[in-house]
Amino acid sequence: MKLDSKDKQQFINLVRGFEGESEFDGLLEQLGNEYLIMNDLLLAKHNTFFQIDSLVISHDTIYLFEIKNYEGDYYIEGDKWYLCSGTEIQSPLIQLKRNETLLRRFLQPYQLSHITKAFLVFINPEFTLYKAPRDEMIIFPSQLKRFMKGLSLGKPQLMENQLQLAKKILAEHQDKSPYTRLPTYKYEQLQKGIICWKCRAIETKIDGGQLLCSICSAVENADSAILRSVEELRLLFPERKLTTNAIYEWCGAMVSKKTIRRVMKANYELTGHGRTAHFIKK
Ligand SMILES: [Zn+2]
């Protein structure tokens, strides 16, 4: 469906944020076994939720990383942050400090000897911040390489108690954020068809057992394209029964019911008979 401009902007921001975090994850993965890395944590203390992009545990330190994929020119006046257009934005530094405080409180019951360090990482090389403060908490793109190098120098191996700590933190991870805001959508309002795995366009066709995208020319095996669409249907409408007809309609009548039945039988479990027959996840 077409998103309105507010939802579209939120979507773009989420995608950009996700890309930035993925890029930083890639850097963290190079650190080696002396660190435990946990991404995208949602924790709560006394009903106050806080989200952590990356939490890294070493033998003596707990690192909190907030990742920003800002692009373009920004400036600071006092402790306020602005886009170059003059629009004020939420200060990411204040956000980081709030998260750090909440994390410290969250960790208090564990009585750790670790110190906590929080960093605001700007991952995008196209980012410029005018009148930037000389703040050790901020890592600019030009400092990132050196910062990571400094981290990876001579750390002792992790001990069992660090693993235990990580497990305890993961057990506290909340699945659902009260702040998630999804656009409202109805089944009838959505355009049906199989979207391209690569560019998400719906301008696709099935030819010779393959899904072809007329926008980006990506090719995908038709069976896997069907399964991907079924997963999308499950995610968007978990209450709908996965009948052959339902999948046929969802896929925009692009593939035969015979093909759908074959692919579904091989990957899902068939339950019920006749009109109530539908597939469930194995
Ligand atoms: Zn495409």
Side-chain angles (χ1 to χ4, degrees), residues 188-203:
E188 295 71 28
Q189 144 195 45
L190 302 187
Q191 199 181 334
K192 312 300 185 291
I194 304 180
I195 59 172
C196 168
W197 66 271
K198 202 172 176 188
C199 75
R200 322 290 299 166
I202 203 156
E203 290 81 3

PDB file of all heavy atoms in Angstrom, residues 188-203:
ATOM      1  N   GLU A 188      -7.793  -5.965   2.744  1.00  0.00           N
ATOM      2  CA  GLU A 188      -8.441  -5.569   1.485  1.00  0.00           C
ATOM      3  C   GLU A 188      -7.709  -4.408   0.819  1.00  0.00           C
ATOM      4  O   GLU A 188      -7.748  -4.247  -0.399  1.00  0.00           O
ATOM      5  CB  GLU A 188      -9.899  -5.139   1.739  1.00  0.00           C
ATOM      6  CG  GLU A 188     -10.816  -6.241   2.229  1.00  0.00           C
ATOM      7  CD  GLU A 188     -10.538  -6.681   3.669  1.00  0.00           C
ATOM      8  OE1 GLU A 188     -10.038  -5.834   4.458  1.00  0.00           O
ATOM      9  OE2 GLU A 188     -10.783  -7.849   3.994  1.00  0.00           O
ATOM     10  N   GLN A 189      -7.034  -3.607   1.641  1.00  0.00           N
ATOM     11  CA  GLN A 189      -6.437  -2.383   1.140  1.00  0.00           C
ATOM     12  C   GLN A 189      -5.061  -2.644   0.498  1.00  0.00           C
ATOM     13  O   GLN A 189      -4.515  -1.806  -0.203  1.00  0.00           O
ATOM     14  CB  GLN A 189      -6.399  -1.442   2.363  1.00  0.00           C
ATOM     15  CG  GLN A 189      -5.272  -0.541   2.525  1.00  0.00           C
ATOM     16  CD  GLN A 189      -5.241   0.024   3.946  1.00  0.00           C
ATOM     17  OE1 GLN A 189      -5.407  -0.703   4.938  1.00  0.00           O
ATOM     18  NE2 GLN A 189      -4.997   1.298   4.052  1.00  0.00           N
ATOM     19  N   LEU A 190      -4.506  -3.824   0.730  1.00  0.00           N
ATOM     20  CA  LEU A 190      -3.150  -4.108   0.232  1.00  0.00           C
ATOM     21  C   LEU A 190      -3.185  -4.681  -1.179  1.00  0.00           C
ATOM     22  O   LEU A 190      -4.015  -5.524  -1.500  1.00  0.00           O
ATOM     23  CB  LEU A 190      -2.437  -5.101   1.163  1.00  0.00           C
ATOM     24  CG  LEU A 190      -2.296  -4.698   2.628  1.00  0.00           C
ATOM     25  CD1 LEU A 190      -1.419  -5.699   3.360  1.00  0.00           C
ATOM     26  CD2 LEU A 190      -1.699  -3.301   2.765  1.00  0.00           C
ATOM     27  N   GLN A 191      -2.250  -4.227  -1.979  1.00  0.00           N
ATOM     28  CA  GLN A 191      -2.123  -4.772  -3.330  1.00  0.00           C
ATOM     29  C   GLN A 191      -1.569  -6.187  -3.236  1.00  0.00           C
ATOM     30  O   GLN A 191      -0.623  -6.437  -2.495  1.00  0.00           O
ATOM     31  CB  GLN A 191      -1.184  -3.886  -4.137  1.00  0.00           C
ATOM     32  CG  GLN A 191      -1.331  -4.079  -5.630  1.00  0.00           C
ATOM     33  CD  GLN A 191      -0.364  -3.185  -6.403  1.00  0.00           C
ATOM     34  OE1 GLN A 191       0.049  -2.136  -5.914  1.00  0.00           O
ATOM     35  NE2 GLN A 191       0.003  -3.629  -7.586  1.00  0.00           N
ATOM     36  N   LYS A 192      -2.162  -7.115  -3.980  1.00  0.00           N
ATOM     37  CA  LYS A 192      -1.720  -8.504  -3.910  1.00  0.00           C
ATOM     38  C   LYS A 192      -0.709  -8.790  -5.015  1.00  0.00           C
ATOM     39  O   LYS A 192      -0.735  -8.172  -6.077  1.00  0.00           O
ATOM     40  CB  LYS A 192      -2.918  -9.460  -4.043  1.00  0.00           C
ATOM     41  CG  LYS A 192      -4.109  -9.111  -3.150  1.00  0.00           C
ATOM     42  CD  LYS A 192      -3.757  -9.128  -1.673  1.00  0.00           C
ATOM     43  CE  LYS A 192      -4.950  -8.912  -0.782  1.00  0.00           C
ATOM     44  NZ  LYS A 192      -5.516  -7.546  -0.859  1.00  0.00           N
ATOM     45  N   GLY A 193       0.163  -9.752  -4.754  1.00  0.00           N
ATOM     46  CA  GLY A 193       1.191 -10.107  -5.724  1.00  0.00           C
ATOM     47  C   GLY A 193       2.443 -10.516  -4.961  1.00  0.00           C
ATOM     48  O   GLY A 193       2.495 -10.408  -3.746  1.00  0.00           O
ATOM     49  N   ILE A 194       3.443 -10.996  -5.690  1.00  0.00           N
ATOM     50  CA  ILE A 194       4.695 -11.377  -5.029  1.00  0.00           C
ATOM     51  C   ILE A 194       5.702 -10.256  -5.256  1.00  0.00           C
ATOM     52  O   ILE A 194       5.988  -9.897  -6.396  1.00  0.00           O
ATOM     53  CB  ILE A 194       5.246 -12.710  -5.585  1.00  0.00           C
ATOM     54  CG1 ILE A 194       4.182 -13.808  -5.461  1.00  0.00           C
ATOM     55  CG2 ILE A 194       6.523 -13.101  -4.857  1.00  0.00           C
ATOM     56  CD1 ILE A 194       4.631 -15.168  -5.984  1.00  0.00           C
ATOM     57  N   ILE A 195       6.225  -9.703  -4.173  1.00  0.00           N
ATOM     58  CA  ILE A 195       7.157  -8.584  -4.349  1.00  0.00           C
ATOM     59  C   ILE A 195       8.581  -9.100  -4.550  1.00  0.00           C
ATOM     60  O   ILE A 195       8.931 -10.199  -4.150  1.00  0.00           O
ATOM     61  CB  ILE A 195       7.102  -7.580  -3.171  1.00  0.00           C
ATOM     62  CG1 ILE A 195       7.427  -8.274  -1.851  1.00  0.00           C
ATOM     63  CG2 ILE A 195       5.759  -6.891  -3.098  1.00  0.00           C
ATOM     64  CD1 ILE A 195       7.567  -7.293  -0.709  1.00  0.00           C
ATOM     65  N   CYS A 196       9.371  -8.276  -5.200  1.00  0.00           N
ATOM     66  CA  CYS A 196      10.761  -8.626  -5.493  1.00  0.00           C
ATOM     67  C   CYS A 196      11.552  -8.681  -4.179  1.00  0.00           C
ATOM     68  O   CYS A 196      11.433  -7.795  -3.343  1.00  0.00           O
ATOM     69  CB  CYS A 196      11.351  -7.566  -6.419  1.00  0.00           C
ATOM     70  SG  CYS A 196      13.137  -7.649  -6.596  1.00  0.00           S
ATOM     71  N   TRP A 197      12.353  -9.731  -4.022  1.00  0.00           N
ATOM     72  CA  TRP A 197      13.127  -9.877  -2.766  1.00  0.00           C
ATOM     73  C   TRP A 197      14.165  -8.773  -2.643  1.00  0.00           C
ATOM     74  O   TRP A 197      14.553  -8.394  -1.549  1.00  0.00           O
ATOM     75  CB  TRP A 197      13.833 -11.240  -2.730  1.00  0.00           C
ATOM     76  CG  TRP A 197      14.911 -11.398  -3.773  1.00  0.00           C
ATOM     77  CD1 TRP A 197      14.722 -11.867  -5.043  1.00  0.00           C
ATOM     78  CD2 TRP A 197      16.295 -11.076  -3.660  1.00  0.00           C
ATOM     79  NE1 TRP A 197      15.907 -11.849  -5.733  1.00  0.00           N
ATOM     80  CE2 TRP A 197      16.904 -11.372  -4.895  1.00  0.00           C
ATOM     81  CE3 TRP A 197      17.096 -10.570  -2.639  1.00  0.00           C
ATOM     82  CZ2 TRP A 197      18.256 -11.182  -5.157  1.00  0.00           C
ATOM     83  CZ3 TRP A 197      18.446 -10.378  -2.893  1.00  0.00           C
ATOM     84  CH2 TRP A 197      19.010 -10.685  -4.137  1.00  0.00           C
ATOM     85  N   LYS A 198      14.586  -8.243  -3.795  1.00  0.00           N
ATOM     86  CA  LYS A 198      15.704  -7.310  -3.764  1.00  0.00           C
ATOM     87  C   LYS A 198      15.255  -5.850  -3.614  1.00  0.00           C
ATOM     88  O   LYS A 198      15.699  -5.158  -2.718  1.00  0.00           O
ATOM     89  CB  LYS A 198      16.521  -7.467  -5.058  1.00  0.00           C
ATOM     90  CG  LYS A 198      17.937  -6.973  -4.920  1.00  0.00           C
ATOM     91  CD  LYS A 198      18.739  -7.340  -6.159  1.00  0.00           C
ATOM     92  CE  LYS A 198      20.132  -6.772  -6.081  1.00  0.00           C
ATOM     93  NZ  LYS A 198      20.839  -6.967  -7.359  1.00  0.00           N
ATOM     94  N   CYS A 199      14.338  -5.423  -4.481  1.00  0.00           N
ATOM     95  CA  CYS A 199      13.969  -4.004  -4.450  1.00  0.00           C
ATOM     96  C   CYS A 199      12.559  -3.779  -3.915  1.00  0.00           C
ATOM     97  O   CYS A 199      12.100  -2.643  -3.842  1.00  0.00           O
ATOM     98  CB  CYS A 199      14.125  -3.378  -5.827  1.00  0.00           C
ATOM     99  SG  CYS A 199      12.817  -3.835  -6.978  1.00  0.00           S
ATOM    100  N   ARG A 200      11.868  -4.862  -3.535  1.00  0.00           N
ATOM    101  CA  ARG A 200      10.528  -4.793  -2.933  1.00  0.00           C
ATOM    102  C   ARG A 200       9.459  -4.274  -3.897  1.00  0.00           C
ATOM    103  O   ARG A 200       8.357  -3.918  -3.463  1.00  0.00           O
ATOM    104  CB  ARG A 200      10.502  -3.938  -1.654  1.00  0.00           C
ATOM    105  CG  ARG A 200      11.696  -4.044  -0.735  1.00  0.00           C
ATOM    106  CD  ARG A 200      11.837  -5.344  -0.020  1.00  0.00           C
ATOM    107  NE  ARG A 200      10.731  -5.674   0.863  1.00  0.00           N
ATOM    108  CZ  ARG A 200      10.544  -6.895   1.361  1.00  0.00           C
ATOM    109  NH1 ARG A 200      11.335  -7.885   1.016  1.00  0.00           N
ATOM    110  NH2 ARG A 200       9.560  -7.129   2.185  1.00  0.00           N
ATOM    111  N   ALA A 201       9.749  -4.223  -5.182  1.00  0.00           N
ATOM    112  CA  ALA A 201       8.722  -3.782  -6.139  1.00  0.00           C
ATOM    113  C   ALA A 201       7.721  -4.914  -6.349  1.00  0.00           C
ATOM    114  O   ALA A 201       8.046  -6.087  -6.218  1.00  0.00           O
ATOM    115  CB  ALA A 201       9.374  -3.419  -7.469  1.00  0.00           C
ATOM    116  N   ILE A 202       6.491  -4.538  -6.683  1.00  0.00           N
ATOM    117  CA  ILE A 202       5.460  -5.559  -6.905  1.00  0.00           C
ATOM    118  C   ILE A 202       5.303  -5.849  -8.400  1.00  0.00           C
ATOM    119  O   ILE A 202       4.535  -6.708  -8.813  1.00  0.00           O
ATOM    120  CB  ILE A 202       4.125  -5.138  -6.229  1.00  0.00           C
ATOM    121  CG1 ILE A 202       3.263  -6.372  -5.957  1.00  0.00           C
ATOM    122  CG2 ILE A 202       3.407  -4.053  -7.031  1.00  0.00           C
ATOM    123  CD1 ILE A 202       2.268  -6.195  -4.853  1.00  0.00           C
ATOM    124  N   GLU A 203       6.076  -5.169  -9.225  1.00  0.00           N
ATOM    125  CA  GLU A 203       6.046  -5.378 -10.674  1.00  0.00           C
ATOM    126  C   GLU A 203       6.886  -6.607 -11.035  1.00  0.00           C
ATOM    127  O   GLU A 203       8.015  -6.492 -11.508  1.00  0.00           O
ATOM    128  CB  GLU A 203       6.563  -4.141 -11.416  1.00  0.00           C
ATOM    129  CG  GLU A 203       5.641  -2.940 -11.352  1.00  0.00           C
ATOM    130  CD  GLU A 203       5.764  -2.156 -10.049  1.00  0.00           C
ATOM    131  OE1 GLU A 203       6.612  -2.510  -9.210  1.00  0.00           O
ATOM    132  OE2 GLU A 203       5.007  -1.194  -9.866  1.00  0.00           O
TER     133      GLU A 203
END
